[in-house]
Amino acid sequence: MHRVCAIACMFAAFALAEEPKPIDNRSLGDRARQYLVDLVRLDTSNPPGNESRVAEYLKAEADANGIPNELLGADPKRLNFVARLKGSGKYRPLLLMAHTDVVPADRSQWSVDPFSGEFRNGFIYGRGVWDDKGLLAAQLAVIVEIKRRNIRLDRDIILLAEADEEDNATGIQWMLQRYPGKIDAEFALGEGGSIIESKDSTKIFRIQINQKVPVRLLLSARGTAGHGAIPRADNPIIRISRAVVKLTEADQPARLGMTMRRYLRELAKLPDYSWLVPIMPRLENPTTLQAAANQIRAHDNELDSLLRTTISPTVVRAGGKNNVIPNAAEALVDVHRLPGESPEEVMDRIRQIISDPAIEVSIAPGTQSPGADPSPLGTTLYRAMERAIDHAHPHDVAVPYIGRVGTDAAYLRARGIPVYGAPIFIRDPESNRGHTNDERITPKNLNEGAGLLWQVVLETAGTN
């Protein structure tokens, strides 16, 4: 009897082991949507990060689809994920990169739970859908689909999802210091690109080829402590306050580089930006450049920020007791300088604007992003983006673009690896972008973005 039961159990186990896995017939867009919702639900707010939550999720998906991968990092809670689809080796690899951390979200300012991935009113809500989990979801969906279809490749495709981009970029720096060979590539595709759409439905695909360089500065003032009942002329809070006001009210010099010139010319063709047409000639004249940039600012502050270094005070620290004038006060200032300017040039200008020898201007503690030359327009990847966009959107235009904010791409560009911001999602003013409340994206935007990324990757890495 026992022998019969054992044989029956053996056959039952064999039958279970041989039972085929259910076929996953989801579309690329549906797969990207599920990945995005899952990623949003993994809270990786930085600080503290806990990006290993996402890294382990990515590993599970890669393992389930037979994609070789590994988790790497110095901190077990903040691991980087690297996966590789092997190609023939005819060409050097294509690197897809995204970061897994997000900025914190104030739940009281959101209409939904920021880590729910809730679908409401036609949008997927969640911290990171724009920065940067939407791109990561599309990238993961693309490499899984390539693997499922067993598509032959002429070059390896590497997917890198790194920790801590939002704070000190320690993830990409650690990878470059410890394992540069694992992410060495001919070029990379990451965040920073976007699509803008005019009222007549014309689209401009902005391919980011460079970015403004963040410089974190510290303004420090010292004085003599005393009772708050007796005002003091050397009160450091007053000195810092005056310095901050001077900085925010001063005009920074405008500069018009080749990339920005081309970008503005394309914008001026759109009905929404017809106001640019009479301003363009004045931008070309050095004697009227500054006034013309100020005209642009009156119309579009964001566009103006691409023409000059920007300065924003972000943190002020002083004292700790209401009735005591403190010995010191300081302010952190977030500077995004144009690629053509040096940190020293910017700091000298700031000192002149403040015009107070009692205010010390220095580089704030922490990692400072490197500057780098723009990524070239003649690479296989850039041309593939142009072709893919032209094929899918023959009446629209793709243009190179300089991003307003720094990203981890700067560290790769500084190593000589061209990086391009992928213009796959429409920047819809009715929704929003990263770092804002109620961050959200439409499923249609995500679906079409994943489809365009698919075409770009195959144009770049597929067998001809």
Side-chain angles (χ1 to χ4, degrees), residues 363-386:
I363 299 289
T367 303
Q368 296 291 330
S369 180
D373 292 332
S375 300
L377 307 185
T379 64
T380 301
L381 176 53
Y382 189 89
R383 296 301 186 198
M385 282 189 280
E386 287 187 317

Side-chain angles (χ1 to χ4, degrees), residues 44-57:
T44 51
S45 300
N46 184 8
N50 291 321
E51 295 93 334
S52 292
R53 295 170 177 171
V54 167
E56 290 163 358
Y57 172 86

